[in-house]
Amino acid sequence: MDVTVRAEAVAAGLSAERLARIDGWMDRLVGDGKLAGLSVTVARRGCVAYRRCTGLADRERGTAMAESTIVRIYSMTKPLTSVAIMMLYEEGRFQLDDPITRFLPCFANQRVLTGGTRGKVETVPAVRDITFRDLLTHTSGLTYGFMESTLVDGLYRSEGVDFQTSDATLAEVVERAARLPLLAQPGTAWNYSIATDVLGHLVAVIAGQPFGDFLQERVIGPLGMVDTGFHVPAEKVARFAANYGRGPDGALTLIDDPASSRFAAPRAICSGGGGLCSTAGDYLRFCQMMLNKGELDGVRLLGRKTVELMTANHLGGDMAAMGQPRFSESSYEGIGFGLGFSVMLDPARAQVLGTPGEYAWGGAASTAFWIDPAEEMAVILLTQLMPSSTYPIRRELRVLTYQALVD
């Protein structure tokens, strides 16, 4: 750890010596062949207390992991999309309990799965329409095709409900989803889903401009997130990390080469649920805006009360009380969900260090962030390994970060 960061750590109420334990943890992950490379950023009280990169962003080319490395953040896109739709909420364009059929009539007269087989799906009418709040809290009854656990997941795959690889438009894929049954009655169960992609389409419909343009003009640009976007331009591909999985022998294997990646060219769909690439520095600017209750460097995206509403728990309890089996981006016990973020309710029940009111999320390639308003702290973990449940690195980093608080 350099002298500057050591001094910043002490000023921010963190032990530099205890933070240095993160060094050994990072080096072991790379040395043991679990990760090709990773970066960790810890900010507190407006300054960076710890920032380190180790290993390789691209093993095949020998490119080191660096602060400027661009990675696929996948579902860490969701919080930015949630901010975008809430900016329109602040303009009085809709209320949280408004049915989305007000803007998307294709979601009228939905059906809800009750059983059956792929050849004969059994459904009943939805008792009410999906609302904006349902989408923001993942209680809409929508799902993801990659879950591969229900009949509806299978229908998503067969009907081309895929916002990552489809050549169709955002509107067309949303309309495909609207024709399929819901997993549960709206508002009754937490189920991770394409809901945030639907929110991206709602942004486009309500604002009257393409979702990607709105996000760039109203969120990414004003925050100065200069390396964040839905594709990596040719002049930046040299900084774009490779993405890895694990082969049959457990060794790292390349699954997405940066030079030939679909992220290296403009995408047919700007996926609000998982389409962005970004850097540690860029994402820290987003986190600091949230910590500042909606403002950064004189630019205000949201009002203080809106941020407080977004980061409160909107479920009846924790996710374990109303959700599917444990999902890799978060544990369920002791964790609630707000408008675009998971929310820590009870660290003892979650069985990990943390603070009630801390909010967070992660991405499919093992990236993660969390923001702790009480401790005035934000932490960002970037790497590129799929699936994100391969190793418990998010929980391990939580312990290593919180044990360093000494004030």
Side-chain angles (χ1 to χ4, degrees), residues 91-171:
E91 293 176 6
R93 305 291 193 97
F94 64 89
Q95 292 300 301
L96 293 176
D97 57 358
D98 280 350
I100 63 171
T101 50
R102 177 181 164 196
F103 300 98
L104 302 180
C106 59
F107 279 95
N109 305 313
Q110 291 255 237
R111 307 284 298 183
V112 179
L113 179 74
T114 58
T117 64
R118 286 286 292 274
K120 184 175 174 56
V121 177
E122 298 172 359
T123 64
V124 296
V127 297
R128 65 166 175 80
D129 288 340
I130 296 169
T131 66
F132 283 85
R133 179 181 175 278
D134 294 333
L135 293 177
L136 283 157
T137 57
H138 288 287
T139 59
S140 63
L142 297 167
T143 185
Y144 265 126
F146 69 76
M147 295 293 194
E148 299 189 2
S149 59
T150 72
L151 287 172
V152 182
D153 300 346
L155 290 173
Y156 274 44
R157 295 192 298 276
S158 64
E159 297 300 318
V161 181
D162 183 349
F163 294 91
Q164 291 296 312
T165 62
S166 179
D167 291 328
T169 66
L170 176 58

Side-chain angles (χ1 to χ4, degrees), residues 227-311:
D227 288 321
T228 300
F230 287 103
H231 83 282
V232 180
E235 66 272 17
K236 297 182 180 181
V237 168
R239 293 195 280 127
F240 188 27
N243 199 7
Y244 297 94
R246 301 207 69 81
D249 60 354
L252 288 171
T253 182
L254 180 68
I255 61 173
D256 190 32
D257 186 292
S260 57
S261 172
R262 66 176 185 269
F263 288 95
R267 315 284 297 282
I269 292 176
C270 292
S271 167
L276 286 175
C277 295
S278 190
T279 63
D282 273 13
Y283 211 85
L284 180 59
R285 293 188 65 78
F286 174 76
C287 291
Q288 193 61 56
M289 178 275 294
M290 293 298 297
L291 264 178
N292 295 349
K293 300 291 182 73
E295 179 273 337
L296 182 68
D297 295 341
V299 176
R300 179 165 291 281
L301 269 61
L302 293 170
R304 173 176 64 87
K305 299 299 291 185
T306 303
V307 173
E308 291 170 358
L309 179 66
M310 293 179 72
T311 56

Side-chain angles (χ1 to χ4, degrees), residues 4 10 18 44 55 57 78 94 102 111 120 157 176 201 213 224 301 306 342 371:
T4 301
V10 172
R18 283 179 166 266
R44 192 172 191 224
K78 288 180 169 69
F94 64 89
R102 177 181 164 196
R111 307 284 298 183
K120 184 175 174 56
R157 295 192 298 276
R176 291 174 190 173
H201 182 44
D213 292 350
L301 269 61
T306 303
S342 64
I371 297 171

Side-chain angles (χ1 to χ4, degrees), residues 63-81:
T63 307
M65 194 77 175
E67 291 177 25
S68 61
T69 295
I70 299 170
V71 303
R72 305 154 192 78
I73 63 171
Y74 287 116
S75 286
M76 282 169 57
T77 305
K78 288 180 169 69
L80 277 78
T81 303

